[in-house]
Amino acid sequence: MKIAIAGKGGVGKTTLAGLLARSFAAEGKHVLAIDADPDANLASALGIPAGRYAHLQPFSHMKDLAKERTGADSGYGGLFILNPKVDDLPDAFCVEHAGVRLLLMGTVEHGGTGCVCPEHTLLRSLMKHLLLERRDLVIMDMEAGIEHLGRSTAEAVDLLIVVVEPGQRSIQTTRQIEKLAADIGIKKIAYVGSKIKSQEDKAFLASALPAEKMLGYLSLNETIRDADRTGAAPYDIGGDFLEELLAIKTRLLDYAG
Amino acid sequence: MKIAIAGKGGVGKTTLAGLLARSFAAEGKHVLAIDADPDANLASALGIPAGRYAHLQPFSHMKDLAKERTGADSGYGGLFILNPKVDDLPDAFCVEHAGVRLLLMGTVEHGGTGCVCPEHTLLRSLMKHLLLERRDLVIMDMEAGIEHLGRSTAEAVDLLIVVVEPGQRSIQTTRQIEKLAADIGIKKIAYVGSKIKSQEDKAFLASALPAEKMLGYLSLNETIRDADRTGAAPYDIGGDFLEELLAIKTRLLDYAG
């Protein structure tokens, strides 16, 4: 299954992506986690020590590797095996931790050099052609907001999860994402409520969004906030939210069919 | 003065932009607030009733207006007055509220239609050529993350404020923004600490970032969180954070010279 996680900035996309990836890996799934945000920080949410990913090459550098190996500037084509499996991805672009392989899309390396469309194009192509086995799971953490839907980066996913916090602005973004995702033919969309402080927060989200698509809720948690300060992964620290996560996973598998 | 506000998703960029815009307008400045995020929600942070901006045309539609008026598809050039003043901006693209004029950059209107580079290009050009009088102030709320720095959208600003919350991920983004901003020649960069809960939070940020660039701190505030739920502007609700805001403004004017 291929899953993408989207939503307004700061709602908890990366936290959810990290929790789902680590939790599915812990039960034996082969998880490929893709950081599709140029402002990348999924690695730390997965609990990968900084020293292990500081020099990880982003996937967008595949073009350089192709040139080096073939001596020709033939674009990405030469390096792409038709319909590659997760294990076919070159080690230079992956780091593995606790059963999760991480791939970085790529970023803005120098100011003024343009947008990250080439990086998105390569990733869209990979997502389209990647062949998954039954135990494989791909979790892609998207950039904040909606621009990736202009670029159709996630068009080949089986499920798009929109993370939503109890506020008008986050709900506005969620509605916009849902509309744009329909434009590019993404069939299954679900929500996860995030930063929940009270029953009122849940009721607020429930009144704004259809219940059948709500996979569950993650409470606002000081542990998760502190984890970001120490640079630790929420999954490693643990807390009540791990039970909420289990409920979300159960509902997710059921919903995605 | 032209100011841009950047930072990781969800740190409080739009909240700060709304507070600064309303507060400077209240003391008589002519404020132009620009929402440079395709996932736009500065209007509600400014307290503009939804009915007044729901049908506001984004600035990127100027091209259509140019075509309509001149009969030619000559790009944006024909409509741009050389070195326009704030008051020269066509009313069709502005809504005014409490002394603040709001302009929307533009967004992804249909999924799969590409990135928002054309919108950024037009805005970059406007920012470069806009002539300000002494009482004019432009506040531009950037998209989450760093891609706008690849596009140089804010290259002509006098000051780039990076909003930073007490977490490793936000600090990582701040450092990346600072590096990319230097690449495109932005000379003055400052920080505002956001979502501060304790003295430890301030100490955490103070240990990570140079003190001379820190304009001040905004506390994590239930009022602001609730404001987003009701769709109200933090400035209109008020609270202790308005005093923090005054301190930030004083330091900002001093720092920007």
Side-chain angles (χ1 to χ4, degrees), chain B residues 7 24 65 67 79 82 85 110 132 146-147 160 175 194 211 216 220 245 255:
Chain B
F24 276 119
L65 186 62
K67 194 175 171 184
L79 246 189
L82 198 64
K85 295 179 184 174
H110 301 282
L132 300 192
I146 59 168
E147 192 171 5
L160 178 72
R175 296 214 170 106
S194 177
L220 184 68
L245 179 68
Y255 182 81

Side-chain angles (χ1 to χ4, degrees), chain A residues 101-156:
Chain A
R101 294 185 90 192
L102 171 68
L103 191 84
L104 307 177
M105 177 182 74
T107 185
V108 179
E109 294 177 15
H110 302 282
T113 51
C115 71
V116 288
C117 273
E119 286 78 0
H120 280 269
T121 301
L122 183 63
L123 186 54
R124 179 176 63 176
S125 177
L126 176 69
M127 288 300 280
K128 205 164 168 181
H129 295 290
L130 200 60
L131 273 189
L132 300 192
E133 295 183 11
R134 201 177 165 75
R135 61 183 183 179
D136 289 336
L137 185 71
V138 178
I139 297 176
M140 188 161 57
D141 183 25
M142 309 308 294
E143 71 194 12
I146 60 169
E147 191 171 7
H148 61 85
L149 292 155
R151 292 157 160 159
S152 307
T153 319
E155 66 179 354

